[in-house]
Amino acid sequence: MSVATSTRINSDLLAFVLRTPRWFWIIGAGLAAVVGIGVLTETVMIVVGLQIMGLSNTVYWAVLITNFIFWVGISHAGVMISAILRLTQAEWRRPITRCAEVLAIFALLTAAMFPLIHSGRVWRTIYWVFPYDFTRNIWPDIRSALVWDPSAILTYLTGTVLFVYVGLIPDLAVARDRATGFKHLLYAALAMGFRGTTRQWKLQHTAGLLLAALILPVFVSVHSIVAWDLSMAILPAWHTTILAPYFVIGAVHSGVAGVVMVMAALRRGLKLQDYIQRRHFETIGRLQIVVAFGYLLFLLLDFYFGLFSRDPIEERIWELRLFESPTNLLLFTQVSTTVLIPLPIWFVARLRSNPAVMFWTSTLLNVGMWLERYILVVTPQSLKQPFVFTWVSTYEPRPAEYVFTVASFALVAIGLLVFAKVLPIIPLWEVKEGASSGS
Amino acid sequence: MSRRVPLVAALAGALVVEAIALIALREAPLARWGYVAAAVVFAASTVQAAPPVALASRLAHGAWGIPVRRLAELCGLSTLITVPVVVALLARLPDWHLRPSVWLDWPGAPLLWDTVAVMLLALAGCALALVPLRQARSLVQWRSRQLAATILGTLYLMCLVFVHVLLSSDLAMSLVPGWASPNFAAYQAVSSLQGGAAFVTLLLAVTNRHAERTFHALGKILLSLSLLWFYFTWSELLTYWYGRTPAEIALLSLLMFGPTLWLFVATALGAFVVPVTLLIWNPVRNSVRGPCVAAGLILLGLLLDRVRVYVAAWTVAGPVRERLEDVPVALLLPRLPELLAALAIVAAAVLLVALALPRPTVVVQRKRELAEAA
């Protein structure tokens, strides 16, 4: 690769890091305001109590837990795409790996907040970790899936941060060499003396591959454990063997769509058309087709075997989902937006390679995936009163829950924006490596 | 004498033995039909599950798959062998009234609709094996042939997964009171892909041992599918283990810890523990022998797995109840007719593929090169 090409890549991809456009402040302020409203709502909830949400005796896992599951799901595909493509040495991965990984980190951090908010008294979550009664030696029950959750999420978060950081080191060194003042000191500290020697490159490459291989089982286990939070309870439609794989395939489905949304937004916002090209959307669109078929299979299995069991409560839950408003509308929207609308569009190569089309189909898909999580979490609880097999309208989301949901999207967006401002969102060294290998 | 003559004779012999054994089993108790069901599902999980390997390499544009694509696609022909046996098994099922089914009491279910499904699979398998046989004479022809193979391969994969869902529900789950596990259907489909990859690996070892790159890629596929085997098994076990309802305790006892304990342990060793332990090492995975040994173990593990599930299910088959009340102490051992039927089904499927295989030109070419070099 020529020096001119290398210089051009450096200046293109570091442009947003080293210079701040005005729109950054406007959009950043807007997103921060939304997050601020969310923080305010949380403060009110701490003072007033959980009654500002629509929870009831029967439905006490609702929108907040839906958000938790949704964001854990989004966090999955980021690392999955990056790790699998790295392990299989797929050349087209180069410009998109980091936005996928960074999306994973911010989605996971956002997800981890929701069980804390859901607890009502955030500070009391300390009792989940430490014994709250020393004299009676009471500890959290390690056989509970609820206790596996924090350990799985923390392991995944640690692994993902390490994975991103190892990939960032060469770029931090480039930023260090081009920055001045405080930024220079910051990048120098983070680059850990990386000078690009052969040994350093070899170590960085090996560490990246090892982390990629190690993080894959963790990513599968995290969402499985989230599913087991539900399926370990003996509640019809929750207590089903397929919930873990169904959650994982759903996570991949929504996560890949999340990566496409971020790719399209960054491409337009940071003017990265030369790096995030139409062929990248075309290729990731193919991946989306395969994942969508897998998701459809598990969706149908969940439905068919719900009826196969001939359990009256489970049949009633499906009746509620299929025939009673508003749940049937939500289910119809879910199936339409996750499978019926995007699949035919993605089958057309010209549409698949259009960033705007991919952005909007992926956005629709994620709306559907959020609804899917909501239906999975809420409807079985609605029928869980003993000996009552009729639909009782016990739960309806209140404004506070909508605010938390919107604020979570703003929080992830602001995280991505700030990351892209501070560090290169497209890996310089990967793009250069690709350019030098002619891919 | 053409090399095909002994193969044709062996295939005809296997079919005759199969027919005689099935006739002999006509009045036998249901439990003995479990071995026939296990053999059919084993064939559907190995020989018939080979074509998706070709599809995977086509979709991923993987050059590693070129030596194996044709071999894998020809395995689609083996579906012809199992169609009549599946129909015989469906006809032998006990009274269907109120028995669970994914067909939800459709008229004619499950016999009619399951038969339609396996015939569709056979049709897709034959089309996949036969359509691309015509030699391409131009680039356009070659491209259209590739596209046809990809489309037919996708269709075949969809039919295969659907048939596995049907076989697992109608020939296993519906016979065991209280068993309604969507995960088991998915498990059977995924483990059949594992069996298909293992079968292709061994087929390649027989026909072309010089395609090192393909063996390495197959080693990776076998490793990831073996991990998936564990994941689906664990999901099933954990949910039942935590549920602990009487129906679930009975199911665990029947399928994992009671009369099938040793089969379950042997399956876990063959389909997961030993292959993963072998293939996780780069030097083993990147050899020719390593993936072949792992593939052999996987096939053995899957055979025991299918015996474990299907023989156990047919042993307890009976009137529709809410849950299984009595778990048998031991499984029925196979007698000569069911053993012959099972062997003949698998042998006929493999022999039909062997008959359709092209001449191993690559091996001949390589031998010629070596001879010239010598």
Side-chain angles (χ1 to χ4, degrees):
Chain A
M1 184 183 54
S2 68
V3 177
T5 312
S6 173
T7 313
R8 189 177 61 81
I9 290 173
N10 284 348
S11 62
D12 283 356
L13 299 184
L14 287 172
F16 185 61
V17 177
L18 300 173
R19 284 180 301 278
T20 310
R22 190 183 297 167
W23 63 259
F24 170 80
W25 297 112
I26 298 167
I27 292 181
L31 292 172
V34 177
V35 174
I37 295 170
V39 173
L40 193 68
T41 312
E42 165 63 1
T43 314
V44 170
M45 199 173 81
I46 287 173
V47 174
V48 176
L50 288 174
Q51 66 262 34
I52 68 165
M53 292 193 289
L55 304 178
S56 64
N57 280 347
T58 50
V59 183
Y60 49 77
W61 281 15
V63 166
L64 296 189
I65 298 302
T66 303
N67 283 332
F68 166 66
I69 298 170
F70 175 78
W71 284 115
V72 172
I74 290 281
S75 77
H76 270 53
V79 169
M80 184 211 76
I81 285 181
S82 184
I84 288 182
L85 297 184
R86 201 180 289 267
L87 287 174
T88 54
Q89 295 168 355
E91 282 299 320
W92 62 274
R93 78 179 190 275
R94 295 184 184 283
I96 65 167
T97 48
R98 190 163 298 152
C99 36
E101 293 157 8
V102 175
L103 174 66
I105 290 179
F106 288 111
L108 203 55
L109 285 171
T110 307
M113 280 183 354
F114 278 102
L116 303 181
I117 299 173
H118 171 78
S119 72
R121 302 280 187 268
V122 181
W123 57 94
R124 289 194 180 177
T125 50
I126 196 80
Y127 301 144
W128 295 351
V129 183
F130 297 108
Y132 55 85
D133 187 336
F134 291 98
T135 51
R136 286 191 294 170
N137 206 18
I138 294 175
W139 286 83
D141 185 358
I142 55 161
R143 290 171 301 178
S144 163
L146 294 177
V147 177
W148 308 339
D149 246 351
S151 49
I153 287 176
L154 283 176
T155 310
Y156 185 51
L157 187 62
T158 312
T160 311
V161 169
L162 275 175
F163 190 49
V164 174
Y165 184 60
V166 165
L168 259 175
I169 291 173
D171 293 356
L172 288 166
V174 176
R176 171 198 63 199
D177 298 340
R178 296 172 73 93
T180 53
F182 170 73
K183 277 187 178 175
H184 174 78
L185 289 175
L186 178 71
Y187 292 134
L190 290 172
M192 295 197 302
F194 189 86
R195 296 275 160 210
T197 63
T198 311
R199 185 169 174 278
Q200 284 177 334
W201 275 116
K202 196 177 169 189
L203 282 173
Q204 193 261 358
H205 182 70
T206 310
L209 276 182
L210 278 177
L211 280 167
L214 288 173
I215 213 162
L216 281 177
V218 182
F219 116 79
V220 174
S221 72
V222 173
H223 218 49
S224 300
I225 288 173
V226 171
W228 290 331
D229 285 344
L230 276 64
S231 68
M232 295 298 119
I234 310 177
L235 194 64
W238 273 11
H239 186 59
T240 166
T241 51
I242 203 158
L243 214 60
Y246 183 34
F247 265 41
V248 171
I249 191 81
V252 175
H253 197 33
S254 66
V256 176
V259 172
V260 171
M261 288 165 68
V262 173
M263 278 167 61
L266 289 174
R267 182 179 193 265
R268 192 180 168 92
L270 306 187
K271 297 185 175 61
L272 296 173
Q273 284 84 350
D274 289 345
Y275 298 91
I276 302 175
Q277 296 166 358
R278 283 173 174 262
R279 70 186 173 98
H280 294 120
F281 288 96
E282 202 274 330
T283 316
I284 209 165
R286 281 191 212 176
L287 179 66
Q288 282 188 299
I289 293 173
V290 175
V291 176
F293 272 113
Y295 172 75
L296 181 62
L297 171 69
F298 281 83
L299 177 73
L300 290 175
L301 284 177
D302 188 39
F303 167 65
Y304 271 114
F305 282 88
L307 303 183
F308 180 93
S309 64
R310 293 185 188 267
D311 175 353
I313 305 177
E314 191 134 355
E315 283 177 347
R316 183 73 189 90
I317 289 169
W318 276 105
E319 203 179 310
L320 165 68
R321 287 174 178 170
L322 288 170
F323 303 116
E324 290 178 29
S325 180
T327 320
N328 60 350
L329 287 176
L330 297 182
L331 184 70
F332 176 75
T333 314
Q334 176 216 321
V335 176
S336 306
T337 54
T338 53
V339 181
L340 300 180
I341 296 174
L343 257 181
I345 294 175
W346 293 337
F347 270 121
V348 184
R350 191 178 291 176
L351 293 175
R352 202 164 61 220
S353 56
N354 184 323
V357 171
M358 290 301 280
F359 177 83
W360 288 113
T361 47
S362 298
T363 307
L364 267 183
L365 190 151
N366 267 324
V367 170
M369 287 308 297
W370 192 92
L371 290 174
E372 185 233 37
R373 270 65 168 117
Y374 176 82
I375 294 168
L376 273 175
V377 171
V378 172
T379 48
Q381 294 180 87
S382 309
L383 289 171
K384 76 171 189 275
Q385 300 97 320
F387 313 116
V388 177
F389 298 145
T390 52
W391 165 240
V392 183
S393 181
T394 53
Y395 175 74
E396 230 173 78
R398 298 242 181 104
E401 287 155 292
Y402 292 117
V403 170
F404 285 133
T405 306
V406 175
S408 70
F409 282 87
L411 188 62
V412 173
I414 206 169
L416 281 165
L417 196 64
V418 170
F419 184 94
K421 179 71 202 79
V422 179
L423 295 160
I425 194 77
I426 290 186
L428 301 166
W429 66 273
E430 286 240 43
V431 173
K432 287 179 198 170
E433 198 177 71
S436 62
S437 67
S439 63
Chain B
M1 187 174 62
S2 162
R3 77 180 176 98
R4 293 185 194 274
V5 174
L7 281 176
V8 172
L11 177 61
L15 289 174
V16 170
V17 169
E18 184 185 318
I20 293 171
L22 288 178
I23 291 168
L25 274 170
R26 210 172 31 178
E27 300 299 325
L30 277 177
R32 291 175 61 192
W33 280 81
Y35 286 95
V36 182
V40 168
V41 178
F42 177 69
S45 308
T46 49
V47 197
Q48 291 173 21
V53 175
L55 178 69
S57 91
R58 282 187 199 283
L59 287 180
H61 298 301
W64 58 266
I66 293 170
V68 89
R69 277 179 195 165
R70 194 74 205 119
L71 296 178
E73 282 164 353
L74 283 172
C75 291
L77 284 174
S78 62
T79 45
L80 290 172
I81 300 294
T82 47
V83 173
V85 191
V86 171
V87 176
L89 279 165
L90 290 168
R92 192 67 188 82
L93 279 172
D95 175 30
W96 199 258
H97 181 60
L98 287 181
R99 193 176 292 288
S101 167
V102 290
W103 296 109
L104 309 174
D105 301 327
W106 283 21
L111 180 63
L112 175 66
W113 301 109
D114 282 7
T115 307
V116 170
V118 287
M119 286 178 76
L120 272 178
L121 177 72
L123 205 64
C126 293
L128 183 65
L130 299 175
V131 168
L133 272 179
R134 289 172 54 202
Q135 290 293 320
R137 296 200 182 102
S138 67
L139 188 62
V140 177
Q141 263 187 9
W142 182 81
R143 277 193 184 146
S144 59
R145 217 178 76 169
Q146 296 295 319
L147 184 66
T150 307
I151 291 170
L152 285 171
T154 309
L155 188 69
Y156 183 86
L157 176 63
M158 290 165 127
C159 290
L160 182 76
V161 171
F162 185 51
V163 163
H164 273 292
V165 171
L166 294 180
L167 293 180
S168 63
S169 61
D170 288 338
L171 297 185
M173 276 186 275
S174 73
L175 299 176
V176 183
W179 192 16
S181 169
N183 181 65
F184 177 69
Y187 159 81
Q188 188 170 303
V190 168
S191 62
S192 77
L193 296 180
Q194 183 193 17
F199 184 78
V200 168
T201 308
L202 290 184
L203 199 60
L204 190 67
V206 173
T207 54
N208 182 4
R209 289 185 62 83
H210 302 288
E212 283 95 354
R213 204 174 153 203
T214 311
F215 280 105
H216 305 168
L218 286 169
K220 280 185 196 171
I221 292 174
L222 287 176
L223 175 62
S224 46
L225 288 170
S226 299
L227 289 169
L228 274 181
W229 181 93
F230 170 75
Y231 178 62
F232 281 92
T233 306
W234 182 247
S235 295
E236 184 103 352
L237 172 65
L238 200 69
T239 312
Y240 288 158
W241 188 267
Y242 266 70
R244 291 259 153 186
T245 60
E248 287 170 333
I249 292 172
L251 279 176
L252 282 179
S253 179
L254 176 71
L255 297 169
M256 290 179 184
F257 301 117
T260 50
L261 174 67
W262 293 110
L263 284 173
F264 178 59
V265 171
T267 302
L269 287 173
F272 169 64
V273 179
V274 183
V276 168
T277 313
L278 284 175
L279 294 173
I280 208 161
W281 300 103
N282 282 340
V284 179
R285 196 177 60 244
N286 292 337
S287 67
V288 172
R289 207 167 286 173
C292 290
V293 172
L297 285 166
I298 287 169
L299 290 186
L300 186 64
L302 285 184
L303 175 65
L304 297 175
D305 182 62
R306 297 327 186 212
V307 170
R308 170 182 75 95
V309 172
Y310 285 85
V311 175
W314 283 73
T315 303
V316 298
V320 177
R321 284 156 291 166
E322 199 174 308
R323 66 182 169 87
L324 183 64
E325 276 116 24
D326 299 314
V327 177
V329 182
L331 290 186
L332 189 78
L333 287 173
R335 293 187 197 167
L336 194 61
E338 54 262 33
L339 202 60
L340 281 177
L343 282 173
I345 290 165
V346 178
V350 176
L351 284 168
L352 187 62
V353 173
L355 197 61
L357 283 181
R359 277 174 63 80
T361 47
V362 180
V363 182
V364 172
Q365 178 89 25
R366 179 80 179 170
K367 277 183 183 165
R368 197 175 295 154
E369 283 169 13
L370 287 174
E372 281 171 9

